[in-house]
């Protein structure tokens, strides 16, 4: 739970939330539960493993090889070296590097899992992760190389390597050798105990970290898409009664009803005369609560799936120090996160598609109820050479198409790997990465749509079709906020800088919406 007074997240006591992980990703500090009960549970698991080793017990991944090599016995004199080899041979990640914020989220999710107290890791290891979080040292983790079972082995090897002073980390805006940063800060690398390499790497913490970040961005995009829809409705002189409370009472999806309620709130104003005799607006306005509502109604169960995974022990084997049992299973399998991310990415892509259709209407003079073509603000003899948002609408279409292309579910592309030991895998990390890419593309669509909707409303004002009585307080404030950062487009100009600025605002969740 978050300690708001000190902006610290405590691990090892209560369940963590998505918001706790995001807070860590954004710079919050962490501390470990120091109660005797928690410390005793951690220590009993370690002591049980040590006794089992002395008695020459067979422990998967401790006295045996890994995966398909589980039948290979490890000589007693090499047991201590095995976890180091595990971290090193998995150092084969490729692709782009996860951001510092994403890497901090990975630290938080892995620490949460290990703090369940059934992974057989020491307090020294847990405290080393705390040190990385609080000193703002983040492992450099390549994005590609995980099939999501046995968990995120390759990406998590970069976390394990950081704890022992190897490979590279983000520190003070630079990527630097871990050993160098540790020397500078007088941090001692830890030596992994026999089970600790496997405990660190054999789990779902990368996909879960990305899922937490994706969830919060999706939650905000549902609200922002609703606000943009309200702005487009004003710009298009749309029909407010499409969002009537009595209408939505007969289709009782609570999330959909919430979206309709927000739209009613945004559109509560004295409306201008309509220039259209259309009884019903096109679907991208009329059905907006149904499209956005599908996401809004998915958020509660997506939260449940993500937070259950976050607060799970998801490595193998599980070490039951209380009853002195080693339990072999498959908790590293990321199927729940894969399902959550495949679902979420489809819901988000539908927001991009919705806004794309709204923008196509808004900029087409044949359908926009009297607005200038492409929302150009140019007048008179300057009008023929100005093209307003013409290229922006093309770009919106391109971003939307790419988002839709990424919706292919990753979870159905299981591969049999590792000598057919890992013969059914989750692909959860790929699903989460797909989801983040779709979020980015949809945020680009939202950035452009926000500017276009603002331009449309200003055009209505300049055509004397809107005044302050025709907009709700929320929409007037939004319009004012945007125009304080965005200059109305009279003459054609490159809009990339504006789009990037508003993209950053969206990702920072700059506006409090509902």
């Amino acid at each position: 739970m978050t300690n708001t007074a000190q902006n610290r997240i405590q691990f090892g006591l209560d369940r963590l939330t998505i918001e706790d992980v995001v807070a860590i990703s954004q710079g919050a500090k962490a501390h470990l539960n120091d109660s005797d009960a928690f410390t005793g549970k951690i220590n009993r698991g370690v002591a049980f493993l040590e006794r089992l080793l002395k008695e020459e017990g067979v422990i998967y991944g401790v006295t045996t090889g890994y995966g398909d090599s589980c039948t290979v016995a490890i000589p007693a004199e090499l047991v201590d070296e095995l976890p180091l080899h595990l971290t090193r041979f998995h150092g084969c990640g490729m692709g782009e590097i996860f951001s510092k914020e994403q890497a901090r989220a990975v630290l938080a999710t892995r620490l949460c899992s290990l703090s369940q107290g059934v992974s057989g890791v020491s307090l020294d290891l847990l405290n080393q992760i705390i040190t990385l979080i609080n000193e703002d040292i983040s492992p450099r983790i390549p994005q590609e190389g995980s099939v999501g079972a046995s968990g995120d082995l390759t990406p998590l090897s970069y976390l394990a390597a950081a704890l022992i002073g190897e490979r590279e980390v983000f520190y003070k805006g630079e990527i630097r050798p871990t050993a160098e940063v540790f020397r500078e800060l007088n941090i001692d690398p830890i030596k992994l105990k026999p089970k600790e390499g496997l405990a660190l790497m054999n789990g779902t913490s990368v996909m879960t970290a990305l899922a937490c970040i994706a969830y919060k961005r999706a939650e905000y995009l549902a609200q922002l898409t609703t606000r943009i829809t309200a702005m487009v409705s004003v710009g298009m002189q749309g029909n407010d009664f499409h969002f009537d409370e009595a209408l939505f009472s007969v289709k009782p999806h609570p999330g959909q009803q919430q979206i309709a309620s927000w739209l009613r709130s945004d559109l509560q104003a004295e409306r201008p005369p309509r220039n259209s005799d259309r009884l019903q607006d096109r679907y991208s306005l009329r059905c907006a609560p149904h499209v956005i509502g599908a996401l809004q109604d998915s958020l509660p169960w997506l939260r449940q799936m993500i937070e259950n995974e976050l607060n799970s022990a998801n490595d193998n084997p599980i070490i039951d120090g209380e009853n002195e049992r080693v339990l072999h299973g498959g908790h590293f399998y990321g199927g729940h996160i894969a399902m959550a991310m495949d679902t979420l990415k489809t819901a988000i892509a539908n927001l991009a598609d919705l806004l794309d259709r709204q923008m196509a209407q808004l900029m087409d003079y044949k359908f926009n109820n009297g607005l200038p073509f492409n929302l150009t603000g140019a007048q008179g003899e300057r009008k023929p050479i100005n093209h307003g948002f013409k290229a922006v609408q093309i770009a919106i279409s391109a971003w939307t198409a790419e988002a839709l292309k990424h919706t292919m579910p990753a979870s159905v592309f299981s591969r049999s790997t590792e000598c057919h030991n890992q013969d059914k895998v989750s692909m959860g990390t790929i699903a989460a990465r797909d989801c983040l890419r779709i979020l980015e593309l949809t945020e680009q669509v939202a950035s452009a749509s926000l500017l276009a909707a603002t331009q449309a409303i200003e055009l209505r004002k300049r055509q004397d079709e809107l005044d302050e009585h025709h907009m709700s307080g929320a929409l007037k404030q939004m319009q004012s906020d945007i125009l304080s950062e965005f200059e109305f487009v009279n003459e054609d100009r490159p809009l990339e800088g504006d789009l990037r600025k508003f993209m950053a605002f969206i990702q920072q969740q700059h506006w409090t919406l509902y």
Side-chain angles (χ1 to χ4, degrees):
M1 293 180 68
T2 306
N3 182 333
T4 53
Q6 300 178 0
N7 197 26
R8 294 202 307 165
I9 311 299
Q10 179 165 260
F11 289 78
L13 182 60
D14 297 323
R15 281 170 61 94
L16 258 63
T17 65
I18 288 169
E19 286 74 17
D20 290 328
V21 173
V22 172
I24 292 276
S25 79
Q26 295 174 349
K29 294 187 181 296
H31 69 113
L32 208 57
N33 179 4
D34 59 2
S35 70
D36 291 342
F38 176 75
T39 301
K41 185 176 185 180
I42 296 295
N43 288 337
R44 282 191 292 276
V46 174
F48 166 55
L49 278 178
E50 289 177 348
R51 284 199 307 277
L52 204 56
L53 273 173
K54 288 178 182 176
E55 296 166 4
E56 298 184 1
V58 176
I59 308 170
Y60 167 73
V62 177
T63 60
T64 75
Y66 301 110
D68 183 62
S69 302
C70 65
T71 57
V72 177
I74 305 300
E77 65 274 14
L78 297 179
V79 164
D80 286 342
E81 291 186 53
L82 185 61
L84 184 60
H85 277 256
L86 179 67
T87 67
R88 286 177 174 169
F89 79 76
H90 272 287
C92 57
M94 292 291 284
E96 298 295 320
I97 305 302
F98 285 122
S99 70
K100 171 191 150 183
E101 291 74 20
Q102 290 165 339
R104 283 181 61 87
V106 171
L107 289 171
T109 51
R110 197 74 208 127
L111 178 59
C112 186
S113 178
L114 298 178
S115 296
Q116 305 305 310
V118 291
S119 297
V121 301
S122 66
L123 285 168
D124 286 345
L125 184 148
L126 299 180
N127 280 313
Q128 188 80 329
I129 301 178
I130 294 282
T131 296
L132 291 189
I133 291 172
N134 291 346
E135 294 291 341
D136 202 16
I137 303 168
S138 306
R140 172 194 169 276
I141 307 175
Q143 294 188 14
E144 297 172 10
S146 172
V147 293
S150 296
D152 290 312
L153 290 166
T154 288
L156 284 175
S157 78
Y158 289 79
L159 187 161
L163 300 183
I164 62 178
E166 296 190 358
R167 297 188 210 170
E168 294 176 319
V169 291
F170 290 101
Y171 183 63
K172 291 188 174 179
E174 297 180 328
I175 295 178
R176 297 174 55 189
T178 310
E180 182 182 288
V181 173
F182 276 18
R183 283 194 299 271
E184 191 174 299
L185 299 178
N186 293 316
I187 298 171
D188 293 325
I190 62 170
K191 185 179 188 305
L192 295 176
K193 294 180 182 297
K195 166 68 167 56
E196 290 184 335
L198 191 59
L200 280 166
M201 293 166 49
N202 193 209
T204 61
S205 295
V206 173
M207 66 181 82
T208 304
L210 302 183
C212 289
I213 291 169
Y215 180 96
K216 292 304 293 183
R217 287 167 69 178
E219 184 180 55
Y220 189 74
L221 264 179
Q223 297 182 23
L224 182 61
T225 304
T226 304
R227 175 58 52 80
I228 293 170
T229 297
M231 296 172 71
V232 171
S233 183
V234 171
M236 289 281 294
Q237 298 183 329
N239 293 301
D240 294 0
F241 54 73
H242 289 324
F243 315 121
D244 182 80
E245 186 172 7
L247 173 64
F248 277 87
S249 70
V250 301
K251 193 168 186 183
H253 297 293
Q256 177 180 274
Q257 290 178 331
Q258 179 67 78
I259 302 301
S261 173
W262 286 340
L263 285 166
R264 286 195 301 274
S265 174
D266 277 350
L267 295 171
Q268 265 184 351
E270 179 189 333
R271 301 291 283 137
R274 286 177 48 78
N275 293 332
S276 171
D277 58 1
R278 288 182 65 88
L279 184 63
Q280 297 186 143
D281 291 330
R282 290 176 179 82
Y283 284 14
S284 60
L285 281 180
R286 192 186 349 153
C287 300
H290 310 74
V291 177
I292 309 169
L295 169 58
Q296 191 72 17
D297 276 303
S298 298
L299 290 175
W301 71 264
L302 289 170
R303 176 183 287 276
Q304 180 186 54
M305 290 179 79
I306 295 167
E307 289 186 347
N308 279 344
E309 191 70 34
L310 169 64
N311 290 282
S312 71
N314 45 67
D315 59 312
N316 175 58
I318 296 300
I319 306 302
D320 180 5
E322 308 297 319
N323 299 297
E324 299 196 341
R325 296 180 298 174
V326 178
L327 306 171
H328 295 88
H331 287 349
F332 48 70
Y333 193 88
H336 285 79
I337 296 296
M339 178 64 70
M341 291 296 95
D342 276 347
T343 301
L344 185 59
K345 72 189 191 188
T346 300
I348 292 297
N350 269 292
L351 299 190
D353 199 34
L354 179 75
L355 292 173
D356 175 47
R357 296 299 81 213
Q358 290 179 0
M359 292 304 105
Q361 281 192 66
L362 195 62
M363 296 178 204
D364 191 332
Y365 69 93
K366 297 186 296 295
F367 305 114
N368 64 14
N369 295 334
L371 288 169
F373 62 86
N374 297 312
L375 303 180
T376 180
Q379 298 289 325
E381 64 181 14
R382 304 292 301 170
K383 192 170 183 178
I385 65 167
N386 278 280
H387 296 79
F389 281 71
K390 188 182 191 73
V392 171
Q393 198 267 323
I394 296 170
I396 288 171
S397 185
W399 301 328
T400 299
E402 187 172 347
L404 298 174
K405 180 177 73 70
H406 280 284
T407 58
M408 176 69 73
S411 57
V412 298
F413 284 90
S414 174
R415 313 289 297 157
S416 184
T417 188
E418 205 256 313
C419 301
H420 298 292
N421 174 56
Q422 299 177 9
D423 61 346
K424 174 62 177 148
V425 293
S426 77
M427 296 295 180
T429 311
I430 294 173
R433 287 174 43 233
D434 281 348
C435 188
L436 289 176
R437 177 59 179 151
I438 289 172
L439 277 161
E440 181 179 48
L441 290 160
T442 305
E443 287 159 350
Q444 290 174 191
V445 171
S447 173
S449 299
L450 198 56
L451 300 187
T454 299
Q455 179 89 355
I457 290 173
E458 283 301 296
L459 284 165
R460 289 291 184 200
K461 289 181 178 178
R462 295 182 184 207
Q463 293 173 181
D464 293 323
E465 295 172 341
L466 273 178
D467 61 36
E468 63 178 13
H469 303 296
H470 297 147
M471 292 176 66
S472 68
L475 290 195
K476 282 190 283 190
Q477 185 62 55
M478 193 78 181
Q479 190 79 356
S480 175
D481 288 347
I482 295 167
L483 289 173
S484 70
E485 300 283 349
F486 171 68
E487 182 183 350
F488 179 83
V489 181
N490 275 313
E491 290 283 320
D492 289 345
R493 69 175 191 268
L495 292 176
E496 179 188 346
D498 295 293
L499 292 168
R500 289 189 183 276
K501 179 196 292 186
F502 279 84
M503 173 85 161
F505 285 154
I506 291 168
Q507 293 182 337
Q508 295 158 9
Q509 302 187 8
H510 180 72
W511 304 282
T512 300
L513 298 171
Y514 302 105

